[in-house]
Amino acid sequence: MVQYHITGGKPLRGTVPISGFKNAADGILPAAIMCDGEVHIENVPCIKDVLLWLDIFRQMDVKVTPQGSNTFAIDATTVNTETPPYDLMSKMRASYYLLGAMLGRFGKSTVSLPGGCEIGERPIDQHIKALEAMGAEIDITGNIITATATDGKLHGAHVYFDVISVGATINAILAAALAEGNTVLENVAKEPHVVDVANFLNSMGAHVRGAGTNVIKIRGVEKLHGCSYAIIPDQIEAGTYMAFAVATGGDLTITGVIPKHLESIIAKFREIGAQVETSDDAVRVTRPGRINRATVRTEEYPGFPTDMQPQITTLLCLADRQSTVTESIFENRFKYVTELARMGADVVVKNRVATVYPVKGFHGADVRACDLRAGAALIVAALAAQGETNLSEVGYVERGYENIIEKLQAVGASITRVETAD
Ligand code: EPZ
């Protein structure tokens, strides 16, 4: 078993470099196998999700060539679609992007889908709605989903999503890029990683316009060609290190970011008492006084991101007065609160609303991560806590945070990664 052992109470000071965005890589990597040529992708975060993508590609006879740290050449000229590695696909939700990618390129795709996870049921009805509108026939047997273009190739469509969904938006863009004719997508997600996937596809010769706005228009093209591309920085990783700085009363300069992507996070952090200075590609975060109470509501971009909800809720446990956090995106994203309570938190959850009662501080405890951002939140608490914390199930954390131990140790955190027999 792997655990993080953390001794809290030390203000973090120094500089933290931010890696490529996990949720952008989750869309760009499957998009890379839509072209029968070589693409060079830089700023790829070396995290479990990415390593899983590369294993899936190797099992599909896609050529993957590491080119120095964080850069990979990917050549899917001879991709084998006949034997999808279901076991690997079922380990990652984002494998559903192979539906749009392979359906778009070959007119058929079979993937295995994981069920919902710790944060909610996470249906894929909007993905199916878009793909069927483009002429796909969908069959779901067990957790295997097979999509086939009834005319051998997808055709353009006008899709109005019932729910704003990052995944469905990206999947539809992938499928439409090589479809015959024009596609219009409305009520779409506007996250920076949606824009990043669209920009990557356009670098390969696709014709995607309007990503980042309410309406995305795609003119299908015949083929895609190779390209070189760099993934955008991870604004959720950056926000998480901002939370580490605030939790410990430290002084962190977080580099390699796009401040525009952090606007809602910066605004909320200033509201709770952080001092945030921004420059072209960095933010500097300190917390001179107490943490102020706040009302938080997660929203689709450009609102406050759901992927920062566990981290901000943890900080608000240390505020001077009672706070309220509403999780409007996922129906079950407060499970980590029971673990936080073992460290001294006092949070009462009713449906999607958490009432956060102020406590004097956290104390160390043995806790476990129940999902990626829940693990990050427990590290926020452990770094602020008096005493030792042992965090288990850290595999969740390592799905999305590259070199988190080294990055934290470099700014003074007392954290080690310990493998034990059991
Ligand atoms: C992406 O998940 C991210 N994952 C999530 O990040 C993130 O929390 C989420 O977007 C919201 O920003 C990746 O990008 C790999 P959605 P996704 O479809 O695409 C409902 C992290 O911690 N919905 O935007 O699965 C859904 O149930 C992870 O980095 C439908 O009803 O999220 C949810 O309530 C966690 N039908 C809401 O939409 C559908 O067909 C938003 O989900 C699809 C979604």
Side-chain angles (χ1 to χ4, degrees), residues 247-363:
T248 60
D251 181 348
L252 286 185
T253 298
I254 299 158
T255 59
V257 300
I258 299 173
K260 170 114 186 86
H261 294 168
L262 290 167
E263 281 179 347
S264 63
I265 297 171
I266 291 170
K268 191 52 72 178
F269 271 57
R270 285 174 170 155
E271 190 184 326
I272 69 169
Q275 266 180 2
V276 184
E277 298 160 32
T278 60
S279 61
D280 288 352
D281 67 349
V283 291
R284 182 179 176 190
V285 184
T286 55
R287 194 249 302 165
R290 275 206 58 97
I291 294 174
N292 307 324
R293 68 161 303 283
T295 298
V296 179
R297 180 184 181 84
T298 62
E299 295 288 357
E300 295 90 358
Y301 191 87
F304 188 83
T306 175
D307 295 343
M308 280 296 299
Q309 178 263 95
Q311 300 91 313
I312 196 96
T313 303
T314 302
L315 291 177
L316 292 172
C317 293
L318 305 174
D320 50 0
R321 285 176 297 136
Q322 183 179 314
S323 300
T324 306
V325 180
T326 302
E327 172 53 66
S328 66
I329 306 293
F330 290 108
E331 68 270 28
N332 187 20
R333 198 166 198 172
F334 286 111
K335 286 194 84 167
Y336 63 91
V337 162
T338 48
E339 295 299 298
L340 217 45
R342 295 164 60 85
M343 300 181 71
D346 182 4
V347 181
V348 175
V349 177
K350 193 166 174 352
N351 300 325
R352 293 185 181 223
V353 181
T355 303
V356 186
Y357 297 97
V359 293
K360 286 270 167 291
F362 293 118
H363 53 75

Side-chain angles (χ1 to χ4, degrees), residues 26-35 53 60 81 89 93-113 124 126-128 130-132 134 136-138 145-149 152-155 161 166-180 183 185 197 201 204 218 224:
D26 274 337
I28 285 171
L29 290 169
I33 67 173
M34 294 179 71
C35 93
W53 273 120
M60 294 175 73
T81 61
M89 290 176 175
R93 263 191 72 73
S95 48
Y96 54 36
Y97 288 139
L98 285 170
L99 278 177
M102 303 317 290
L103 198 52
R105 181 176 173 190
F106 295 109
K108 63 179 181 178
S109 175
T110 305
V111 300
S112 63
L113 290 170
I124 60 163
Q126 299 300 303
H127 299 242
I128 291 170
L131 298 178
E132 285 181 339
M134 291 185 221
E137 211 165 274
I138 308 276
I145 182 166
T146 302
T148 314
K153 196 161 176 55
L154 295 179
H155 56 70
F161 287 109
V166 168
T169 301
I170 290 175
N171 231 341
I173 294 171
L174 296 175
L178 288 172
E180 264 166 11
T183 294
L185 305 176
V197 172
L201 283 167
M204 291 198 290
I218 302 118
L224 297 172

Side-chain angles (χ1 to χ4, degrees), residues 112-194:
S112 63
L113 290 170
C117 70
E118 295 299 334
I119 60 176
E121 190 231 335
R122 303 183 80 177
I124 60 163
D125 57 302
Q126 299 300 303
H127 299 242
I128 291 170
K129 170 177 177 162
L131 298 178
E132 285 181 339
M134 291 185 221
E137 211 165 274
I138 308 276
D139 171 70
I140 300 179
T141 308
N143 74 333
I144 301 293
I145 182 166
T146 302
T148 314
T150 39
D151 306 334
K153 196 161 176 55
L154 295 179
H155 56 70
H158 192 141
V159 179
Y160 193 96
F161 287 109
D162 306 306
V163 175
I164 294 178
S165 159
V166 168
T169 301
I170 290 175
N171 231 341
I173 294 171
L174 296 175
L178 288 172
E180 264 166 11
N182 297 328
T183 294
V184 177
L185 305 176
E186 297 202 59
N187 199 28
V188 292
K190 300 195 278 276
E191 273 70 2
H193 39 302
V194 172

